[in-house]
Amino acid sequence: MASAATAPPPPANLKRIVAASLIGTTIEWYDFFLYGSAAALVFNKLFFPDSDPLVGTLLSFLTYAVGFAARPLGALVFGHYGDRLGRKKLLVLSLLLMGGATFAIGLLPTHATVGAAAPVLLTVLRLVQGFALGGEWGGAVLLVSEHGDARRRGFWASWPQTGAPAGQLLATGVLSLLTALLSDGAFNTWGWRIPFLLSGVLVIVGLWIRLSVDESPVFKQALAQAEARKVAHADTATATATATDAAEKLPLVSVLRHHWRDVLVAMGARMAENISYYVITAFILVYATTSAGVSKQIALNAVLIASAVHFAVIPAWGALSDRVGRRPVYLLGAVGIGLWMFPFFSLIDTGGFGNLILAVTVGLVLHGAMYAPQAAFFSEMFATRMRYSGASIGAQFASVAAGAPAPLIATALLSDYGSSTPIALYVIAAAVVTVIAVGAAKETRHRDLADVESPADADPATARAADAHTV
């Protein structure tokens, strides 16, 4: 029976919370993906003009990868304070940082104006973007997961996940519209700045909505229990109390002590999901326009259409995970994406618009089977007072090895081998890692987030202490 803290909130309130998380994540991903699309289309010319075109693209994707390098730091900082101060405050800060950095990119001088300082400034702002996004994801999915109905947690928690395709849809849609309306010269001179400057308006809307929601009731309950324990142990300076207080002050310590296996599972689970996504949505803009002879406009339109389908199927996959479990749905996506890679590139090589849409759409539908249950799956792995840290660390540390170098590695493989085969094998290898990681995990869909405790240690006395003191 659900406690007051875990009982489902009124539908209108839950929908408002879902909307706040979705709009916030959409804006954050819009900012992040906008950079990726611009890196593939214009940054190589504007910030690395002295390089060979393919080398310029590699350098452009390198600055793109830098944003991923900052995400683990964001996960550590935002996770630490999110587990101590609450989810809502940190989500507001992440939105401000991301939006401010994106707006500033729209004002940057190019290499033609300030020389080598241009790519340096671009890299710094990309670092800020990555830092903010590293803290955004965990807080957004937890705010919904900890508010929502446990029986439909997979469905409700999947909605913040739709912020990724929604952001991709928005970023690609704006770029596609501008490339259709403007000449290449106008777009490269000033048109590319418009989508970045638009972020300022979006952030204002996002803040207005995000400030209107309440803090997670599960977190407030855990915070109240922690305060009660402090009072109870005020006059008893035992080793257990000291260790508990230290864990509460440093959620990262508790995560690594009690949940290190879950962190490894989360990192492995993200390999295929993260790598396939950036190959399908970012690298395709390079591959389709250089190897397949497809125009920039057609490539953008294909990603645009596929992103709309991706947005629609994520809640469906999330709902399915409530019925059959997180692991079966996740495994279906991982196996499917591995099997799809060779057909994916074969369809693109034909140069046909319909085949290009089919390739990207099927790829993103299979990606959605991994991405949709991920929010609930990762949330259910960790205890409340270390959940923001645990989910963020597992997700964002993986992005350094997965999504960060994916377009860079794919572009380098294309440059070295002149073929899509090594790229397909690269994604298939990632799918194998994910199948192993998820296969080794426990099913989590029946867990009550308010009751998830740290795993018991081998020593029974330690286990009893953990049961008594860990939320």
Side-chain angles (χ1 to χ4, degrees), residues 257-262 381 383 386 453-458 463 466-467:
R257 179 184 300 160
H258 299 295
H259 288 286
W260 62 270
R261 290 182 183 84
D262 295 320
M381 289 181 183
M386 59 189 81
E453 303 286 343
S454 296
D457 295 325
D467 288 340

Side-chain angles (χ1 to χ4, degrees), residues 136-377:
E136 161 70 22
W137 180 84
V141 300
L142 291 189
L143 197 63
V144 176
S145 295
E146 293 178 344
H147 269 96
D149 180 355
R151 293 170 301 175
R152 304 186 68 197
R153 184 181 298 128
F155 171 73
W156 289 116
S158 70
W159 279 101
Q161 300 292 77
T162 64
Q168 179 76 65
L169 191 66
L170 189 58
T172 306
V174 172
L175 284 172
S176 181
L177 178 63
L178 289 171
T179 55
L181 295 177
L182 301 175
S183 66
D184 286 345
F187 181 78
N188 291 340
T189 302
W190 56 269
W192 68 272
R193 298 180 183 275
I194 294 175
F196 289 91
L197 297 176
L198 180 62
S199 177
V201 178
L202 296 177
V203 167
I204 294 173
V205 175
L207 283 175
W208 175 67
I209 295 174
R210 191 161 271 187
L211 287 169
S212 69
V213 302
D214 295 328
E215 182 56 80
S216 154
V218 172
F219 174 79
K220 288 193 288 187
Q221 180 191 36
L223 190 62
Q225 291 176 357
E227 292 298 324
R229 287 199 304 271
K230 288 180 182 179
V231 173
H233 291 294
D235 299 322
T236 309
T238 63
T240 301
T242 302
T244 301
D245 291 343
E248 287 170 355
K249 291 178 181 177
L250 294 173
L252 174 61
V253 174
S254 293
V255 169
L256 298 180
R257 179 184 300 160
H258 299 295
H259 288 286
W260 62 270
R261 290 182 183 84
D262 295 320
V263 170
L264 291 179
V265 167
M267 291 178 66
R270 288 218 74 196
M271 289 296 119
E273 177 268 306
N274 219 216
I275 289 172
S276 66
Y277 189 79
Y278 291 105
V279 168
I280 292 170
T281 60
F283 172 71
I284 189 181
L285 298 178
V286 175
Y287 184 81
T289 56
T290 58
S291 295
V294 176
S295 72
K296 178 169 60 179
Q297 184 66 48
I298 288 177
L300 282 170
N301 287 343
V303 174
L304 188 67
I305 293 169
S307 294
V309 177
H310 193 210
F311 178 90
V313 299
I314 285 177
W317 285 123
L320 183 62
S321 78
D322 286 326
R323 295 179 63 86
V324 303
R326 318 299 183 211
R327 292 171 69 251
V329 177
Y330 213 117
L331 288 170
L332 174 64
V335 172
I337 205 69
L339 295 175
W340 183 244
M341 276 301 102
F342 280 110
F344 172 79
F345 284 109
S346 296
L347 287 168
I348 295 174
D349 287 338
T350 66
F353 183 50
N355 286 342
L356 186 60
I357 292 174
L358 178 63
V360 181
T361 300
V362 173
L364 288 183
V365 168
L366 292 169
H367 171 269
M370 295 180 282
Y371 199 56
Q374 190 179 97
F377 189 31

Side-chain angles (χ1 to χ4, degrees), residues 88-104:
K88 176 180 173 179
K89 295 175 183 176
L90 275 298
L91 285 174
V92 170
L93 178 60
S94 70
L95 189 61
L96 285 171
L97 285 174
M98 176 66 88
T102 305
F103 186 82

Side-chain angles (χ1 to χ4, degrees), residues 71-73 75-76 263 267 271 392-402:
R71 283 166 68 171
L73 179 60
L76 289 171
V263 170
M267 291 178 66
M271 289 296 119
S392 296
I393 291 168
Q396 303 307 335
F397 272 68
S399 68
V400 176

